[in-house]
Amino acid sequence: MDDERLFELLIFHKSRSGVELNERELYSLELLQRLQNGERLAEDEFDDLDHLKTRILEDDANKLDAVFDGELIEYISDLKIRVESGECVDEDDKYALELVDRVDKGEDLTDDEMEALKFLHQERKEAVELEDLRQRRDNGLEYNEDLLYELELLDLHKRKEVLSDEQMFELELFEKRRQGEELSLVEVEKLETMKRQREERRLDEEDLQDLRQRKGLGEEIDEDLFYELELFERMR
């Protein structure tokens, strides 16, 4: 997104969220509203708006730099853009925006609120990453299968879906690793074993589906293998 659009979204967001605008921001809002209403600005007013854009974007970036790290600033900017662009946001996004608006008003966040904002940023990052991986898979592009499985498992847990004991164990190790903890050799080997078992189940399911289709078409199939795969399916 270019600076002009970002500047416009920032000013309108501040005016709607109850943040007290300074003199430069109020003048910018006036000029932008006139443009929105179809009015033509004088040449010197266009120059003023260009100068204000530079100053206000720099001031906003410096204010965020004093409180948040680089990744959080990127998340906050994306959040403001999504809201002002009319994109539907959920309750978590609204809470994050509420915290950011308080910073814009000069308030300090508590340690718990800062941790909550970092957590929401991480969740948003994972959601975007998950969607990207799914699109790559669906479009036949190369993607990280292990990461996709991990993020889909995390997503299922967030949505309160029922997970098997095996999935809960994997989830526990995935979250432990995401928090920067080192897995033991036994835990790493267990994850690798469970990964192999998942792959074997996937191949069995593909083979069983193929055998069922061929049987349905009246083709000759390996009945022993068919029976064995159906038995495994019922036992799972």
Side-chain angles (χ1 to χ4, degrees):
M1 176 174 293
D2 58 35
D3 285 349
E4 284 77 8
R5 182 58 176 154
L6 180 59
F7 170 60
E8 180 182 334
L9 293 174
L10 175 64
I11 292 299
F12 283 124
H13 172 71
K14 284 189 173 184
S15 69
R16 291 168 185 159
S17 61
V19 175
E20 185 176 353
L21 303 183
N22 59 36
E23 187 175 338
R24 289 197 301 272
E25 292 167 337
L26 285 170
Y27 182 43
S28 299
L29 180 62
E30 177 193 335
L31 295 177
L32 290 170
Q33 286 175 330
R34 286 171 55 193
L35 283 173
Q36 273 200 341
N37 293 331
E39 295 184 38
R40 293 177 61 86
L41 300 184
E43 187 175 343
D44 61 332
E45 289 176 322
F46 269 117
D47 290 340
D48 288 345
L49 196 58
D50 189 60
H51 176 70
L52 288 165
K53 175 195 69 179
T54 302
R55 288 291 304 276
I56 290 173
L57 287 178
E58 286 179 354
D59 289 348
D60 190 66
N62 290 335
K63 182 185 294 184
L64 293 176
D65 280 340
V67 182
F68 306 116
D69 61 30
E71 282 202 357
L72 268 179
I73 291 174
E74 185 178 341
Y75 163 65
I76 291 164
S77 298
D78 172 70
L79 180 57
K80 289 181 178 180
I81 289 168
R82 287 190 290 119
V83 170
E84 288 304 312
S85 298
E87 183 177 332
C88 182
V89 295
D90 58 22
E91 291 302 316
D92 287 342
D93 284 336
K94 291 176 183 177
Y95 176 61
L97 197 59
E98 176 188 323
L99 296 179
V100 175
D101 287 341
R102 285 174 48 199
V103 173
D104 283 340
K105 294 174 184 177
E107 297 181 32
D108 293 328
L109 301 183
T110 66
D111 290 342
D112 286 344
E113 288 169 334
M114 282 294 295
E115 286 303 314
L117 195 57
K118 290 177 181 178
F119 175 77
L120 293 172
H121 162 242
Q122 183 62 32
E123 288 214 322
R124 170 66 181 171
K125 183 178 177 181
E126 289 172 356
V128 170
E129 193 172 19
L130 176 57
E131 181 61 25
D132 177 66
L133 287 168
R134 283 172 171 166
Q135 287 184 0
R136 294 184 67 83
R137 177 197 61 194
D138 295 343
N139 292 328
L141 301 175
E142 185 178 347
Y143 67 97
N144 187 327
E145 293 185 31
D146 292 341
L147 181 57
L148 176 59
Y149 176 77
E150 181 176 332
L151 291 176
E152 287 191 322
L153 198 58
L154 287 165
D155 184 59
L156 288 172
H157 184 60
K158 290 171 191 171
R159 292 190 283 108
K160 311 297 183 185
E161 299 287 344
V162 177
L163 301 180
S164 67
D165 291 342
E166 182 180 275
Q167 288 174 320
M168 287 302 299
F169 177 76
E170 288 180 295
L171 182 65
E172 180 183 333
L173 296 185
F174 290 152
E175 290 183 331
K176 181 179 178 181
R177 188 168 59 191
R178 282 177 169 272
Q179 292 168 3
E181 296 184 46
E182 187 174 351
L183 300 185
S184 69
L185 183 59
V186 172
E187 290 172 328
V188 171
E189 290 177 347
K190 183 63 175 175
L191 280 179
E192 286 299 318
T193 299
M194 296 171 83
K195 176 184 173 181
R196 286 195 299 272
Q197 290 172 342
R198 285 199 311 274
E199 180 63 17
E200 289 171 1
R201 284 197 298 269
R202 184 183 67 80
L203 293 174
D204 284 348
E205 288 167 1
E206 290 177 356
D207 287 343
L208 179 57
Q209 183 179 5
D210 178 65
L211 288 171
R212 281 172 174 164
Q213 289 177 344
R214 290 171 57 196
K215 186 181 178 81
L217 294 172
E219 296 181 16
E220 185 176 344
I221 64 170
D222 185 333
E223 292 289 349
D224 291 338
L225 177 60
F226 182 60
Y227 173 77
E228 181 180 329
L229 292 176
E230 283 201 319
L231 184 61
F232 284 157
E233 184 184 51
R234 288 195 294 270
M235 291 172 60
R236 290 185 183 124

